[in-house]
Amino acid sequence: MKIICIGRNYADHAKEMNSSLPSVPMFFMKADTSLLRPGTPFFYPSFSSNIHYECELVVKINRVGKHISERFAHKYYSEIGLGIDLTARDLQEKCKEKGHPWEIAKSFEGSAPISKTFIDKSELQLENIQFRLEQNGTEVQKGTSADMIFTIDVLIAYISQFMTLKKGDLIFTGTPSGVGPIAINDVLIGYIGNRKMFEVKVK
Ligand code: ZN
């Protein structure tokens, strides 16, 4: 399986990063080894001193498809989960400066905690899925799919022009504003609506 992450899909986050708004989706990838198994702690790596959380809705692809048109994209996913696109911001800044690929900042071990359960999309109002992240009991991020620049269907159509999507692939759909650093001993809890989706301890 592969993990595809969308950059700058919320205007307020692009603004806080001093980034321009994209006219087409921008995506990058994480290795399957970046998945953090639900219930296991995230170990803060020694190569970074500025790891940020980015809480994101995660779409699970349910069948093989390529060149999927936007109007049929809804057939390619049935469940939505929640995850964190952990980002070594210090390494990412250096990569950006040099124009280098940024896998070392995005695709490291454990950099993709995801929820154990995914919610059937029939239980959600897809155009307004509300989600939030708490860090040590304080709400630090709050978002809704209503604020996505590119909808899930647009993302699937776009990505599938370039690569075949397969059953089990995950799409991290971008983060709203409020990203910030994590620290050892933090507890990060994510919710979709009032449903607790994950709890990640940082060690
Ligand atoms: Zn992200």
Side-chain angles (χ1 to χ4, degrees):
M1 58 83 69
K2 54 189 175 292
I3 305 169
I4 298 150
C5 302
I6 309 301
R8 299 175 202 167
N9 201 23
Y10 291 81
D12 57 355
H13 173 61
K15 198 173 163 192
E16 76 179 347
M17 298 300 290
N18 293 316
S19 299
S20 54
L21 289 188
S23 52
V24 291
M26 189 267 272
F27 72 87
F28 57 90
M29 301 189 60
K30 287 182 188 265
D32 56 1
T33 48
S34 58
L35 275 183
L36 184 72
R37 276 193 302 118
T40 55
F42 172 73
F43 289 95
Y44 205 112
S46 56
F47 53 73
S48 174
S49 53
N50 193 23
I51 293 191
H52 278 204
Y53 54 77
E54 297 187 355
C55 186
E56 312 194 0
L57 292 170
V58 180
V59 175
K60 190 184 279 182
I61 296 298
N62 65 4
R63 65 173 79 183
V64 176
K66 59 173 132 181
H67 300 294
I68 300 163
S69 70
E70 191 186 324
R71 72 193 174 104
F72 293 124
H74 65 96
K75 295 175 185 280
Y76 290 81
Y77 66 101
S78 47
E79 293 178 313
I80 308 274
L82 194 67
I84 310 178
D85 166 19
L86 287 172
T87 303
R89 199 68 78 197
D90 41 2
L91 299 184
Q92 187 192 30
E93 291 305 322
K94 281 186 197 152
C95 293
K96 279 184 178 175
E97 273 169 29
K98 294 178 182 161
H100 286 176
W102 59 27
E103 271 75 6
I104 58 167
K106 286 286 195 180
S107 188
F108 52 86
E109 206 78 5
S111 63
I114 55 162
S115 53
K116 188 172 183 180
T117 51
F118 276 60
I119 302 175
D120 195 280
K121 71 180 180 189
S122 63
E123 294 172 38
L124 295 165
Q125 199 192 339
L126 288 180
E127 53 289 343
N128 184 19
I129 306 170
Q130 303 198 6
F131 62 102
R132 62 197 164 90
L133 180 72
E134 285 179 2
Q135 182 180 33
N136 306 323
T138 303
E139 182 179 285
V140 286
Q141 283 194 287
K142 190 179 175 183
T144 161
S145 58
D147 292 336
M148 285 181 177
I149 297 172
F150 304 106
T151 62
I152 294 169
D153 291 357
V154 169
L155 295 174
I156 287 175
Y158 183 79
I159 296 163
S160 70
Q161 293 178 67
F162 300 97
M163 54 181 76
T164 300
L165 289 172
K166 290 169 124 177
K167 186 175 178 177
D169 286 351
L170 299 173
I171 304 173
F172 278 64
T173 56
T175 192
S177 63
V179 300
I182 60 168
I184 289 171
N185 296 324
D186 272 1
V187 178
L188 302 162
I189 301 181
Y191 297 87
I192 289 181
N194 287 323
R195 195 154 154 180
K196 182 173 168 179
M197 299 299 290
F198 61 73
E199 176 169 334
V200 179
K201 293 192 175 75
V202 182
K203 289 195 172 171

